[in-house]
Amino acid sequence: MSTPQIIPPGSTIGILGGGQLGRMTALAAARLGYRCLVYAPDEHSIAGDVAAGYVRGDYDDTDALARFARRVDVITYEFENVPEAAVVACLEHKPVRPGVTPIHVAQHRLREKQFFATLGIGTADYQPVRNEAELAAATALPGILKTCREGYDGKGQARVHDRASLEAAWERLGRRECILEALVDFRCEVSAIVARGLDGAMRCFPIGLNDHRDGILHTTTVPADLAAETLATAERFGLALAQGLDLVGLVALEMFVTQDGTVLANEMAPRPHNSGHWTIDACATSQFEQLVRAICGLPLGPVDVTAPSRMENLIGEEATDWLRYLADPSARLHLYGKASARPGRKMGHVTFVQPAASSRRSTT
């Protein structure tokens, strides 16, 4: 078996997508001696602000994608809604990691649930709602009706209690292809973030305990104060997903924990994840550095927790309180450089790190 080719420091990493995940990836890559070239359709890119270069182009412009790909050594993506065709176009010129399969699965909620089932990963009961007949046959009530595509941070979904509210929600969602997921006996949400390298080696970051507000992740706490068996199951599901996808890079798996300790997968994202931002300040290797290591064929880094922490998203105007966070010795502030705040927009995050117990130094 041939040894996977290492892409050494000094090479250039291409990033499809220009948001905060690409920004933090570019910063981590620079520390290891890599250049990053960002590709996105936006006039301005906060990832491009910190990268070696920025290419503005549409995701359906195959000529522009080809020119971009020829300037880099390996390509990754910072969000899972990059069109599959754009990834395929780049693959004609350079390796794209994690590749096509992970976004093919992640971009469609019904396909995602079916894939989980093939790996033995449990989920809530669900039913497709793609037409009038399936709407009439749906029985997973009460539940959450979600569009199969493009929903995130609570968008594209509605809680439904009975058939009347289900029918009304489907109308509000534009009678689009949907999935109806039954409500679970919810205790909490956790997430596993797994890295898998070119050689198949895998590392799972410690499981994060998540809390949401208005459909958006509010905090992630590590270590998670949950039973060892629950944490082990969450890690096992994350590792099974990375292996099943034959992924090179990162994948995050969000999971529900029920009152009786059952772990049920909710959704996946084949890229760095909001619930992994704590790793920048409180883990031996950040999720962003781990992504760079994985896609470049480097050894994966250790994932030991260096200090207990709680990551808090700064949404909208919350980021204007930056001076208070800077004055707090336990806070590690990260602002994303976005020009304007608006409700629901992630402007940054702050990680509160529990200081290590001070040690006495004797004098003689």
Side-chain angles (χ1 to χ4, degrees):
M1 181 181 296
S2 61
T3 302
Q5 183 178 1
I6 291 176
I7 297 173
S11 303
T12 301
I13 298 170
I15 302 175
L16 295 171
Q20 63 259 24
L21 298 179
R23 178 186 178 96
M24 288 181 273
T25 299
L27 290 170
R31 191 175 70 82
L32 293 181
Y34 292 90
R35 301 172 71 253
C36 284
L37 185 65
V38 174
Y39 183 101
D42 311 290
E43 182 176 352
H44 174 252
S45 161
I46 58 172
D49 285 345
V50 301
Y54 176 57
V55 176
R56 183 184 181 189
D58 293 329
Y59 290 124
D60 61 359
D61 188 338
T62 56
D63 291 335
L65 287 166
R67 290 192 296 271
F68 161 74
R70 286 193 287 266
R71 294 175 60 186
V72 304
D73 299 288
V74 65
I75 298 169
T76 192
Y77 40 79
E78 63 116 35
F79 75 117
E80 65 273 21
N81 285 321
V82 173
E84 280 188 52
V87 175
V88 171
C90 289
L91 271 169
E92 294 180 4
H93 306 279
K94 294 291 166 62
V96 180
R97 297 167 182 157
V100 176
T101 298
I103 62 170
H104 178 75
V105 173
Q107 285 182 0
H108 193 277
R109 285 193 168 106
L110 181 58
R111 189 185 301 143
E112 183 180 61
K113 290 289 195 297
Q114 292 167 339
F115 187 77
F116 291 159
T118 68
L119 301 175
I121 297 173
T123 67
D125 292 336
Y126 64 89
Q127 295 168 313
V129 178
R130 297 168 292 190
N131 50 50
E132 293 278 1
E134 289 179 341
L135 178 68
T139 58
L141 296 167
I144 307 290
L145 184 68
K146 302 178 180 180
T147 57
C148 283
R149 294 184 180 273
E150 297 179 349
Y152 66 96
D153 286 345
K155 300 177 177 66
Q157 59 183 262
R159 181 171 293 219
V160 293
H161 305 282
D162 51 26
R163 181 153 301 282
S165 60
L166 171 62
E167 292 173 355
W170 195 50
E171 288 290 339
R172 286 198 306 276
L173 294 174
R175 300 171 66 87
R176 297 168 60 188
E177 189 178 27
C178 290
I179 181 173
L180 176 63
E181 301 177 10
L183 294 181
V184 301
D185 189 13
F186 181 83
R187 177 184 174 188
C188 62
E189 185 196 272
V190 298
S191 55
I193 300 174
V194 177
R196 185 171 182 270
L198 270 173
D199 59 357
M202 294 191 291
R203 294 274 173 86
C204 182
F205 286 93
I207 303 301
L209 177 63
N210 301 329
D211 179 60
H212 286 75
R213 185 175 65 185
D214 300 326
I216 302 174
L217 181 68
H218 179 49
T219 65
T220 297
T221 302
V222 177
D225 185 17
L226 294 170
E229 182 180 354
T230 300
L231 297 176
T233 299
E235 180 172 332
R236 177 167 56 85
F237 283 176
L239 292 168
L241 178 60
Q243 184 73 37
L245 290 167
D246 194 24
L247 170 132
V248 175
L250 287 188
V251 64
L253 179 62
E254 293 178 285
M255 293 161 277
F256 301 130
V257 179
T258 67
Q259 294 293 345
D260 66 2
T262 301
V263 179
L264 302 171
N266 179 27
E267 60 187 23
M268 59 165 274
R271 38 112 175 134
H273 195 259
N274 196 173
S275 66
H277 290 349
W278 66 272
T279 61
I280 301 172
D281 300 298
C283 193
T285 308
S286 79
Q287 64 169 341
F288 301 99
E289 178 181 331
Q290 200 77 296
L291 173 62
V292 173
R293 286 171 174 253
I295 65 175
C296 292
L298 309 182
L300 298 180
V303 291
D304 306 274
V305 174
T306 57
S309 66
R310 177 176 60 85
M311 186 283 302
E312 181 176 325
N313 269 326
L314 300 178
I315 307 298
E317 294 296 335
E318 292 174 349
T320 61
D321 211 11
W322 52 268
L323 193 59
R324 176 169 67 89
Y325 298 123
L326 289 174
D328 183 343
S330 72
R332 308 291 183 267
L333 178 65
H334 299 262
L335 297 176
Y336 302 151
K338 296 181 179 179
S340 60
R342 60 175 181 264
R345 192 181 196 194
K346 294 174 183 173
M347 300 298 294
H349 72 269
V350 58
T351 300
F352 297 94
V353 178
Q354 182 175 313
S358 59
S359 59
R360 292 183 178 179
R361 185 172 59 185
S362 61
T363 58
T364 57

